[in-house]
Amino acid sequence: MKIIYFIIYLSLKIYKKTTKISHNITWKNKIKKLIKTKGAKKLTNTQVAEINTYYNKYKLKGISTQWHQFYYGCNQFFSPKYMPENLFYIDIEPRLNQKIYFPSLTDKNILDKRFPNVKQPETIIKNINGFFYSNDELIDERKALSLCDTGNELVIKPTVDSGGGKNILLFNCKDGVVDSGQKLRTVFKDYGKDFIVQKIVQQHEQLKALNPTSLNTIRIMTYLNENKVDVLSTIVRIGRKGSSTDNATTGGISCGIQKNGQFNTMGYQLSGESFRATDSGIKFEDVKLNFMSKVLETVNELHQEAPFFKIISWDLAIDKDENVVLIEYNVMGQGINSHQLNNGPVLSPLLKILESQL
C-alpha cells in the first residue's frame, strides 16, 4: 500500500513539475514575440543587476528580465519591481486563490446570487447545464426563445470559460430570427449550454463617448489583505471603432485611472502600442470620472464577500444614472499586462505574501 501511495505522490510531483516547465516555455515564447514586435531595446547591465538584486530579497532567482524590458520599452518607465507573467500565473495566483472553487463560483449564471447587493445587467434567460431558467423558474426552450423575441438589442455570452470577450454576441431577434439571418434556435444550439442572455447596459455618457459601439468597462484589481481590501490597480477598457467589445485581447485599448478618477496621459494595447486618444478623438488626459469613489467603495464591499479568492479583477460598467453595474469578476488567468503597462509595477506588494508562503 505504501508503494502505491509513493507512486501516486511521485506521479503528482512529476506532473506539477512538467506542467510548470510547459507553462514557462509558453510565457517565454510570448514575451519573445512581444519584444520582437515592439522592438524594445535590451536593458543595461546596471538595470539587469538592479532587477536581480530586488528579486533576490524575496529568495527568487533566475527571474526573466525580458518582461521588464518590454514594459520599459513601451512606457519608458523602468522599475525592477515589474512582475513577469510566468511568476504571477504559476506561483502567485494559484497560491492566493483557491482553485477548487473555480470556475463554479465565477459562473455568470450565479453572479446575481453571489453578489445580490450590487446592480447587474437585467437577465432575460439563463441556460445552466442545458436547462433554461427565467426569474429562477425552470422553463422549456420554446419559452426561452419567446422571451428573447423582443426586437430589442440583447447580448448572449457563455457563463463559464468566458474571459477575453470570447463568443459575446449582440443581437436583435424578431419572429425567431436574429439580425444576422440565423434562427435564434440555431444560436442557442451553437452555444450549447451554460450561457446567459441579458439586456444591454445603457452606459454613462462619459464612458460611452470613449467608443459608442462597445460597453467600456472599468477593471479594478483588488487584494484581500487580512482585515481590509487593497486596490492594486485601476484601468478603463475601451473598444476600437465599430467593435462591440472592450477587451484588450480583441484589440481594445486600456488606460490607467488614478484614485481621483483622472485618466493617465497614455493608453496601451496589449502589444505595447501607445495611444494618446480614443478612436472617437477624446484625449485621455482630458477625462476625469467624478464617480470613482463610489466605484472603489463597491469593490471594497464586493471583495469582502468573496474570501475564497484573495486577488480579484472586477469588471464594472457605469449606467446612465451613474449606478455601478457588475459585469463579471476574474480570479484565474486575470490579465496583468494592461495594469503594468499603464500603472507601473503595481503587483510588487504581492511578493511579500509569496515570500511568507515559500
Side-chain angles (χ1 to χ4, degrees):
M1 206 63 180
K2 289 183 178 179
I3 295 175
I4 294 175
Y5 286 143
F6 176 74
I7 292 173
I8 293 173
Y9 167 77
L10 190 61
S11 298
L12 288 172
K13 198 167 185 180
I14 292 172
Y15 172 75
K16 287 181 179 179
K17 185 68 175 178
T18 54
T19 300
K20 186 172 183 177
I21 292 172
S22 174
H23 286 175
N24 271 319
I25 292 172
T26 299
W27 305 130
K28 187 176 181 180
N29 290 336
K30 177 180 178 179
I31 188 58
K32 278 186 175 180
K33 185 177 179 180
L34 284 170
I35 288 175
K36 184 178 180 180
T37 301
K38 180 61 182 175
K41 293 181 180 179
K42 288 186 177 181
L43 299 175
T44 65
N45 291 336
T46 302
Q47 288 172 327
V48 171
E50 195 175 340
I51 295 166
N52 290 330
T53 299
Y54 175 75
Y55 275 94
N56 284 342
K57 291 191 304 182
Y58 298 101
K59 301 175 184 177
L60 294 169
K61 299 184 182 297
I63 292 294
S64 171
T65 61
Q66 289 180 306
W67 291 97
H68 298 73
Q69 179 185 349
F70 172 65
Y71 295 133
Y72 178 45
C74 295
N75 62 20
Q76 304 304 305
F77 175 72
F78 172 76
S79 172
K81 298 180 180 181
Y82 283 118
M83 184 174 293
E85 272 198 342
N86 58 323
L87 178 61
F88 179 79
Y89 291 126
I90 296 173
D91 294 308
I92 291 184
E93 197 176 52
R95 290 176 187 268
L96 297 181
N97 293 345
Q98 296 191 39
K99 294 173 69 176
I100 192 173
Y101 296 113
F102 173 83
S104 57
L105 287 186
T106 59
D107 187 333
K108 292 183 180 67
N109 273 324
I110 64 167
L111 209 57
D112 54 346
K113 300 291 190 296
R114 288 283 295 113
F115 305 105
N117 298 320
V118 64
K119 187 171 183 179
Q120 297 176 38
E122 185 176 342
T123 296
I124 305 299
I125 60 105
K126 298 177 180 180
N127 182 290
I128 304 174
N129 194 32
F131 297 95
F132 287 99
Y133 286 85
S134 174
N135 295 323
D136 295 329
E137 291 185 6
L138 186 64
I139 60 174
D140 58 21
E141 184 185 48
R142 183 178 177 182
K143 178 66 173 178
L145 290 166
S146 174
L147 289 171
C148 296
D149 200 332
T150 64
N152 298 319
E153 191 171 39
L154 302 174
V155 59
I156 182 172
K157 52 191 174 183
T159 56
V160 293
D161 189 27
S162 56
K166 289 188 297 185
N167 298 323
I168 294 178
L169 173 68
L170 300 182
F171 70 94
N172 290 282
C173 181
K174 188 67 175 175
D175 299 325
V177 179
V178 301
D179 38 11
S180 65
Q182 259 188 321
K183 288 185 177 181
L184 182 57
R185 189 187 299 274
T186 303
V187 174
F188 281 2
K189 186 177 180 180
D190 289 343
Y191 275 81
K193 62 180 182 178
D194 298 316
F195 59 86
I196 192 168
V197 177
Q198 296 175 316
K199 288 185 177 181
I200 300 296
V201 175
Q202 301 302 316
Q203 64 183 322
H204 190 274
E205 58 181 9
Q206 265 190 297
L207 293 176
K208 183 177 181 179
L210 301 175
N211 183 57
T213 61
S214 60
L215 180 62
N216 305 306
T217 58
I218 297 171
R219 170 164 287 197
I220 304 181
M221 182 177 277
T222 57
Y223 173 67
L224 188 58
N225 186 4
E226 295 184 3
N227 64 342
K228 63 188 180 74
V229 175
D230 293 332
V231 174
L232 299 178
S233 178
T234 303
I235 58 175
V236 63
R237 305 190 307 165
I238 307 161
R240 303 305 301 273
K241 185 177 181 180
S243 173
S244 60
T245 63
D246 65 349
N247 301 80
T249 52
T250 56
I253 302 170
S254 62
C255 182
I257 305 177
Q258 300 167 33
K259 286 185 178 180
N260 65 356
Q262 176 65 51
F263 282 19
N264 292 349
T265 302
M266 304 294 292
Y268 296 88
Q269 283 186 316
L270 284 181
S271 63
E273 185 178 354
S274 60
F275 298 80
R276 290 187 176 274
T278 68
D279 287 347
S280 59
I282 297 176
K283 291 183 178 180
F284 293 124
E285 64 182 4
D286 292 338
V287 183
K288 184 177 182 180
L289 306 177
N290 294 322
F291 44 73
M292 276 309 298
S293 59
K294 183 192 298 185
V295 176
L296 296 175
E297 286 172 11
T298 299
V299 294
N300 178 66
E301 294 171 3
L302 288 174
H303 203 155
Q304 292 182 52
E305 298 176 30
F308 303 109
F309 310 117
K310 292 184 178 179
I311 184 165
I312 296 177
S313 292
W314 306 91
D315 289 341
L316 306 159
I318 309 297
D319 72 12
K320 60 184 179 61
D321 297 317
E322 216 171 271
N323 295 306
V324 180
V325 182
L326 175 62
I327 303 300
E328 66 177 356
Y329 72 117
N330 307 271
V331 300
M332 289 293 170
Q334 47 193 306
I336 64 172
N337 283 346
S338 292
H339 289 290
Q340 295 194 113
L341 281 168
N342 286 289
N343 295 329
V346 292
L347 303 177
S348 57
L350 300 178
L351 287 174
K352 293 182 180 179
I353 291 96
L354 178 63
E355 181 186 31
S356 67
Q357 295 184 14
L358 288 175

